[in-house]
Amino acid sequence: MRLNAFASKIPHKTSHGEYTTLQLAHNQMSSTTPKKKQRIQVFDGDDEKKREETMINPHTNQPYSRAYLNILETRRKLPVWKQKSDFLHQLAASQTLVLVGETGSGKTTQIPQFLVDAGYTTNESKMVVCTQPRRVAAMSVAKRVAEEMDVQIGEEVGYSIRFEECTSRKTIMKYATDGMLLREAMTDPLLSRYSVIVIDEAHERTLATDVLFGLLKEVLKKRPEDLKCVVMSATLEAKKFQGYFEGAPLVMVPGRTHPVEIFYTQEPERDYLEAAIRTVVQIHRCEPPGDVLLFLTGEEEIEDACGKIRNEIKNIGDSVGPVNVVPLYSTLPPNQQQRIFDKAPDALTVGGVAGRKVVVSTNIAETSLTIDGIVYVVDPGFSKQKVYNPRSRVESLLVSPISRASAQQRAGRAGRTQPGKCFRLYTELSFKKDLIEQTYPEILRSNLGSVVIQLKKLGIDDLVHFDFMDPPAPETLMRALELLNYLGALDDEGELTKAGKIMSDFPLDPQLAKMLVGSTKFKCSNEIVTIVAMLSVPQCFIRPRDDQQRADAAKAHFAHLDGDHLTMLNAYHAFKQNGESQNWCWENYLNHRSLKSADNVRNQLVRLCQRHGVLLESTDFHSKDYYVNIRKAILNGFFMQVAHKERNGSYLTVKDNESVLLHPSTNLSGKPEWVVYNEFVLTSKKYVRTVTEIKGEWLIDLAEHYYDLSNFPSCAAKNALQQLYTQRERTHKGGKK
């Protein structure tokens, strides 16, 4: 194991319980200084009044539209509008400010506009950026703000999300995911384009948000006169944020809320999905007009629920009003996401029963989005959360109980426009005793491989002393360093290698990045970039519960006997050969949306490959090595995710010795001795998913440094590898003779 160099970078506990490190802090940013410090001039409200009097939009030099004036009246009624003057004065007096705004206060849309109005974008073409934890929020909020400012989206107001940039030279305000701002910092460590950085929904504490916090603390010290930071949160974690940013002042903004009546179940629900559908149908039958928001855990569950709700209400007949059931999850395309803002359907007849809109959403509707018209919230009490076990190196999305803070956020959605009702599908006792107070920050339950490579690219070598708000466990950092070392992204001294620098520029997990960057030596980079794109989007194969046999038969047309990665490749090629037809996708049980998204991701990855000199080429399709080379390239990135078949027919993950099953969705013919897998899934059983057959000899050829048998646990895989090493040695000796 090549961990000697890393051991000095990972802390150990002293007798006093404190951590020590043998490495001195080193930060590349400390050697970087801004070219010029310039004080920001902050304007008062007179400038804004003059603009309104002239009726000319300063951003476009065109007269304001009637829609702008109507929206302006609505904006002035928002609670945050009353705090505009106080907010700007507080910010003018301090470099960092914490703003706590309750749901419905208008902070997300208005605060960045206040900053533009105050003149923070007039000096040296500086911009205001507002981060969002989710892509759907960044896009929808940017579009709303563009309307409010009477400008075109992508011009003065834009957004930046993974694999999509909607900005221009004119852009003075943009909404971006926190991950995208972090990527910007890799090429511009001082974030010199920005005069104000607004971190919104800070309480969600995503991985990228926590890393941004640490970076911003350093950047703010280096730009004391021309950079401001506003940390916005919807919950009262204000004291923690204030403490972290060394006593930053606090501005409180009340929400525009109405009372919400909370209902609990008398007994725990056996099946929360069934109970949720039943509750929504009952609301539609018995409750006064008002839209419904149902929280569920993921895309498949949401689509299933939408179909069942529609059918249940259809079966009731004409005694109830029409219903519009709308799904919402992060991978939906923008045009479909916007459907959540549609009005409820009108009554079918004059004087008939009013219609109702039902939004079925993941937890992205908790805080990031505001959907007017919601009166009823149905909360089963679950969400999908990332969980990481550093010992077994397994990261899984598990359906887990939400926190009490999340439950309160969900309930608050019901009281936006009028008094509402929240139906919690769990007992009051469970709410008080079983739910934790706050959701654990993502950094404490994630694989940190992507975080560590980003920090290394930023020049931060002393990871132990990086100023995390909640420092991750030393073992998790150790595993991340180990992973990157094995992948060749870090050398034995813990420094970024040439390959590591290229890998860090791809917005991918390190293993996917290694698979793509390393594919050139197997002459199959064209195919690998497609497979990486397909792995970066939701599953393209559709399998409806009521039509599983036909779906399986359709999938068999694309199936490749060597594994799922090649099946995905076949599906993509067929999609392109059939003109990207939506009807063709529907007939073949393929998700058109996923395939279009994969095509978009692929185009962006191709541009990144060209930028970094990664040659795009293919092995001759008729060559016997065509698919062999692709499988080797996949293994080159995922050699740490290999399983070996045991005598009893189950599989054992190599090194970690986890007993697993092949997922039922796999296309493998039979049960090969060795497989590489993309995902470890924990449900009622342990599965490996997206699986491809490999040869044992490839392991010792491509990843001999990892398959060092001197520190290998005793198992059937070790014996098989020992035989392969012996065989190779004999062949080598025979060749010498």
Side-chain angles (χ1 to χ4, degrees), residues 246-480:
E246 297 163 4
L250 174 67
V251 174
M252 296 281 294
V253 182
R256 187 178 60 185
T257 55
H258 297 268
V260 176
E261 198 173 355
I262 307 286
F263 298 90
Y264 295 91
T265 58
Q266 294 300 309
E267 299 292 331
E269 293 287 350
R270 187 173 290 181
D271 185 334
Y272 73 82
L273 183 59
E274 185 187 310
I277 293 164
R278 189 175 64 243
T279 305
V280 170
V281 173
Q282 197 66 16
I283 290 170
H284 190 55
R285 291 182 70 168
C286 306
E287 294 288 343
D291 296 338
V292 183
L293 173 59
L294 164 60
F295 286 99
L296 290 177
T297 64
E299 177 181 345
E300 192 175 328
E301 194 176 73
I302 287 170
E303 292 290 1
D304 184 35
C306 286
K308 286 180 175 175
I309 291 168
R310 288 188 195 105
N311 290 335
E312 290 278 339
I313 291 171
K314 190 178 177 182
N315 292 336
I316 298 171
D318 297 336
S319 61
V320 296
V323 68
N324 181 19
V325 187
V326 186
L328 177 63
Y329 41 86
S330 60
T331 52
L332 269 176
N335 62 322
Q336 291 197 41
Q337 288 166 5
Q338 296 305 308
R339 287 176 59 206
I340 63 171
F341 303 114
D342 293 348
K343 290 183 179 178
D346 295 325
L348 296 173
T349 58
V350 179
V353 185
R356 197 187 305 267
K357 179 174 66 182
V358 177
V359 178
V360 188
S361 172
T362 60
N363 57 348
I364 64 175
E366 270 181 31
T367 55
S368 302
L369 291 169
T370 295
I371 310 166
D372 288 329
I374 300 295
V375 178
Y376 307 99
V377 165
V378 181
D379 173 20
F382 292 97
S383 68
K384 269 189 184 171
Q385 292 184 18
K386 197 183 287 180
V387 179
Y388 179 63
N389 182 340
R391 296 196 176 164
S392 62
R393 284 186 287 243
V394 172
E395 187 175 73
S396 298
L397 278 171
L398 294 181
V399 175
S400 312
I402 59 173
S403 63
R404 287 200 295 276
S406 284
Q408 299 289 33
Q409 287 288 347
R410 290 180 175 190
R413 295 278 135 184
R416 290 297 311 277
T417 53
Q418 64 184 72
K421 293 180 180 180
C422 175
F423 298 87
R424 290 177 174 163
L425 306 182
Y426 42 92
T427 64
E428 190 170 7
L429 184 66
S430 184
F431 172 78
K432 289 176 178 175
K433 291 197 171 179
D434 297 340
L435 302 190
I436 58 173
E437 190 174 345
Q438 289 281 354
T439 308
Y440 293 119
E442 198 176 351
I443 200 160
L444 301 181
R445 44 188 177 86
S446 297
N447 178 355
L448 299 183
S450 56
V451 169
V452 169
I453 198 169
Q454 286 179 330
L455 289 173
K456 288 284 183 181
K457 183 67 185 293
L458 288 161
I460 298 164
D461 289 336
D462 188 9
L463 303 177
V464 173
H465 289 123
F466 183 75
D467 196 356
F468 290 112
M469 192 176 287
D470 289 286
E475 187 178 10
T476 309
L477 274 174
M478 183 72 179
R479 285 294 193 191

Side-chain angles (χ1 to χ4, degrees), residues 139-265:
M139 287 190 294
S140 53
V141 175
K143 287 172 183 174
R144 172 64 189 180
V145 170
E147 285 175 24
E148 291 188 3
M149 291 175 63
D150 215 13
V151 297
Q152 288 292 318
I153 185 70
E155 296 293 318
E156 286 77 12
V157 178
Y159 62 84
S160 177
I161 61 174
R162 188 178 180 226
F163 299 122
E164 191 174 344
E165 182 77 23
C166 182
T167 58
S168 68
R169 290 183 179 179
K170 293 182 182 177
T171 304
I172 55 173
M173 182 208 302
K174 81 172 179 184
Y175 288 84
T177 54
D178 37 20
M180 288 306 293
L181 188 60
L182 193 55
R183 292 214 149 266
E184 266 191 65
M186 289 184 184
T187 52
D188 181 13
L190 289 168
L191 295 166
S192 56
R193 296 172 65 190
Y194 305 108
S195 58
V196 189
I197 295 170
V198 182
I199 309 292
D200 197 12
E201 310 293 357
H203 60 278
E204 295 221 359
R205 301 288 304 281
T206 65
L207 262 177
T209 298
D210 271 22
V211 177
L212 266 179
F213 280 152
L215 287 178
L216 277 174
K217 279 189 81 170
E218 293 300 311
V219 174
L220 287 162
K221 288 174 187 173
K222 293 173 175 59
R223 294 178 56 193
E225 295 182 33
D226 69 338
L227 179 64
K228 303 272 187 185
C229 177
V230 180
V231 179
M232 302 202 299
S233 172
T235 61
L236 286 171
E237 279 198 307
K239 286 185 179 177
K240 189 165 188 174
F241 294 133
Q242 280 183 286
Y244 183 74
F245 286 102
E246 297 163 4
L250 174 67
V251 174
M252 296 281 294
V253 182
R256 187 178 60 185
T257 55
H258 297 268
V260 176
E261 198 173 355
I262 307 286
F263 298 90
Y264 295 91
T265 58

